[in-house]
Amino acid sequence: HSSQNEQDSRHHAIAAKLAMLEPSDSAECKEFTKLAFELSERFDTPVVLRLTTRISHARSLVECGERENDELKPYEKNPGKYVMMPAMAIQRHVVVEKRMKALAEWAERCEINREEIVGAPSLGVICSGVCYQYAREVLGDGAGYLKLGMVNPLPVERIRRFAERFDRVVVIEELDGIIETHCKAH
């Protein structure tokens, strides 16, 4: 609609080993932005907020709240953490892998990755972002949903348990088949 070359930023989060959140409407944009800051502090990592064209151009109700001002942390010079020369990068790699493991464990139990199942549908839908809105609009309660709010790292066991409940499972996602490829690999 507005560009011929929208790239899938999930590839960047995967390659950089960064957490990525994907909201499905304007209200979630606000909440996920706050959550991104919380996760960043908790796991000592940048967190990417994935906004696709459809979400960026969407309008929906957003409940405003009181502004929260956190105390600024003083900057501490730490070349071992922030300067990735080869010797430092080798040591830092262990920290990054440990952090990704902790984020994957969080993704397994977090509330932003959630199931929505009414009755006993035979079709399961795994989706994220605006695709969740599209799927709900088209399929309604005729399917069960696993709505992923965290799209990197993906919750391997949660996806597996969800898929086992249905006769047929489809993945609906924007741009590249990242969730689909993940599901086929695991």
Side-chain angles (χ1 to χ4, degrees):
H1 289 82
S2 62
S3 174
Q4 76 280 5
N5 63 346
E6 182 169 350
Q7 288 85 26
D8 194 327
S9 57
R10 293 176 294 175
H11 293 290
H12 304 297
I14 293 166
K17 296 187 181 274
L18 295 175
M20 178 175 265
L21 307 179
E22 184 172 4
S24 65
D25 61 22
S26 302
E28 277 190 357
C29 283
K30 180 188 138 237
E31 294 305 317
F32 283 18
T33 299
K34 290 170 61 176
L35 178 59
F37 281 103
E38 292 168 16
L39 292 173
S40 177
E41 291 298 313
R42 179 174 172 186
F43 292 99
D44 191 26
T45 183
V47 176
V48 181
L49 190 66
R50 180 176 190 231
L51 298 179
T52 60
T53 301
R54 293 289 96 210
I55 291 297
S56 296
H57 293 194
R59 287 189 226 175
S60 60
L61 294 176
V62 175
E63 190 172 313
C64 295
E66 291 296 317
R67 182 181 175 104
E68 298 173 24
N69 291 316
D70 291 334
E71 189 174 314
L72 291 178
K73 292 183 177 181
Y75 173 74
E76 295 178 22
K77 191 173 184 178
N78 185 349
K81 181 178 179 182
Y82 299 117
V83 179
M84 288 300 102
M85 302 295 287
M88 295 175 203
I90 290 169
Q91 295 171 359
R92 197 70 190 150
H93 182 77
V94 175
V95 173
V96 170
E97 291 299 329
K98 185 177 176 183
R99 179 180 67 215
M100 286 305 292
K101 183 177 180 192
L103 282 162
E105 290 170 3
W106 186 84
E108 291 289 347
R109 63 184 189 283
C110 69
E111 294 178 9
I112 64 170
N113 292 335
R114 68 175 190 266
E115 293 182 16
E116 295 179 6
I117 303 169
V118 176
S122 61
L123 174 65
V125 176
I126 301 171
C127 52
S128 65
V130 76
C131 293
Y132 164 75
Q133 302 293 355
Y134 294 156
R136 290 290 302 174
E137 187 175 325
V138 172
L139 301 170
D141 290 339
Y145 302 90
L146 177 58
K147 180 186 178 294
L148 299 171
M150 178 175 252
V151 293
N152 193 58
L154 287 167
V156 175
E157 291 305 316
R158 192 170 209 165
I159 291 172
R160 183 176 289 127
R161 285 191 310 270
F162 176 80
E164 288 172 350
R165 299 173 71 171
F166 299 94
D167 297 333
R168 182 171 175 231
V169 176
V170 296
V171 176
I172 303 174
E173 58 190 317
E174 245 186 312
L175 299 177
D176 299 336
I178 291 177
I179 299 171
E180 178 185 9
T181 300
H182 173 86
C183 290
K184 288 178 179 178
H186 292 92

